[in-house]
Amino acid sequence: MNIKNRRIFLTTSFWAGIFGLFSTKVSGASLTPSDSQGPFYPITPQKDKDFDLTQVEGVTGVAKGTIVNIRGKILDENLTPLENVTIDMWQANAAGRYHHPHDTSLAPIDKNFQGWAIVQSGMNGTFNFKTIIPGAYKASGTWIRPPHIHFKISKIGYHELLTQMYFPDNELNEKDFLLQSKNAAEKDLMIAKKVNDSDDTLKYTIILKSI
Ligand SMILES: [Fe+2]
């Protein structure tokens, strides 16, 4: 185990241990709504897809942007935690640029930003990501996507879920065509929650439907 992996192991164990201190509020047993996959699912293979997106293995720098820790939890429709769920997430960098050959944005690529991660949920359905708040980006001439993280969630015996996680208190949320197509309860499930008014840690609960 190299130093980075050891640090990841210790950090993951730490978050998994304290996650139980925070209650998980969900809107009844509503399922997490699906949302567009978007055009930028990663297609360039990369070795480092661990939970820490702020550093890339073999690169010495740290990603630009505001660091945020996402404490996630996966439940089924009966609110039972699900372990060994595959959580595949990708997002733009702090400048709003995806590390994807089809992203024609002129915003800079950040070589220190991992951009893509795949992890498994652990005990009590928990998972964690350390990342940066993605930048907003233009989706069309008049449409600016608010900061969001794309998720693809899968586990045998459950419907695969493609969705997007949004950030609390972002004014662009109210103008986003995708998010505003959801009702209030759905939006509530799609917008991560602050922990103790902290901006650096967010809770995000995902509810899957069994087949
Ligand atoms: Fe996107």
Side-chain angles (χ1 to χ4, degrees):
M1 186 181 285
N2 63 31
I3 290 172
K4 187 184 178 198
N5 286 341
R6 186 187 308 277
R7 182 171 56 78
I8 288 164
F9 174 76
L10 291 172
T11 308
T12 304
S13 303
F14 171 74
W15 287 122
I18 67 169
F19 192 94
L21 296 173
F22 300 92
S23 62
T24 301
K25 281 187 188 165
V26 294
S27 301
S30 303
L31 302 171
T32 300
S34 62
D35 206 348
S36 165
Q37 175 172 317
F40 301 128
Y41 181 78
I43 58 173
T44 305
Q46 67 183 52
K47 188 174 165 208
D48 188 356
K49 294 195 282 285
D50 76 349
F51 87 102
D52 181 357
L53 290 89
T54 67
Q55 287 190 287
V56 178
E57 191 176 328
V59 182
T60 53
V62 176
K64 289 189 177 73
T66 303
I67 289 177
V68 60
N69 295 287
I70 297 168
R71 297 185 197 170
K73 188 155 185 158
I74 312 259
L75 307 172
D76 70 9
E77 63 266 64
N78 299 313
L79 306 184
T80 302
L82 296 176
E83 298 181 10
N84 298 316
V85 177
T86 300
I87 301 133
D88 184 340
M89 63 88 98
W90 66 104
Q91 65 169 88
N93 66 23
R97 171 88 184 251
Y98 285 88
H99 187 58
H100 192 289
H102 299 163
D103 188 350
T104 56
S105 163
L106 297 177
I109 289 172
D110 181 352
K111 68 178 175 48
N112 297 315
F113 180 53
Q114 190 175 295
W116 179 23
I118 302 178
V119 302
Q120 304 284 123
S121 64
M123 284 180 60
N124 301 316
T126 57
F127 64 90
N128 301 286
F129 289 109
K130 180 181 180 184
T131 187
I132 51 92
I133 298 176
Y137 61 87
K138 260 191 170 183
S140 72
T142 55
W143 178 18
I144 298 175
R145 295 291 342 265
H148 61 276
I149 298 177
H150 294 269
F151 281 89
K152 182 162 69 171
I153 313 287
S154 53
K155 180 178 173 69
I156 291 173
Y158 294 83
H159 292 278
E160 183 178 89
L161 174 67
L162 273 163
T163 191
Q164 299 182 33
M165 186 204 93
Y166 297 83
F167 289 78
D169 303 329
N170 190 293
E171 60 186 19
L172 290 171
N173 287 347
E174 285 153 35
K175 300 174 190 159
D176 184 59
F177 295 139
L178 291 176
L179 184 57
Q180 291 308 316
S181 70
K182 310 295 184 188
N183 66 36
E186 290 171 329
K187 283 180 206 163
D188 189 53
L189 282 163
M190 300 175 83
I191 299 173
K193 304 289 181 290
K194 290 185 180 183
V195 175
N196 296 332
D197 284 332
S198 158
D199 283 327
D200 62 7
T201 306
L202 295 176
K203 275 196 312 186
Y204 179 50
T205 303
I206 294 171
I207 305 175
L208 292 185
K209 183 171 173 34
S210 53
I211 292 172

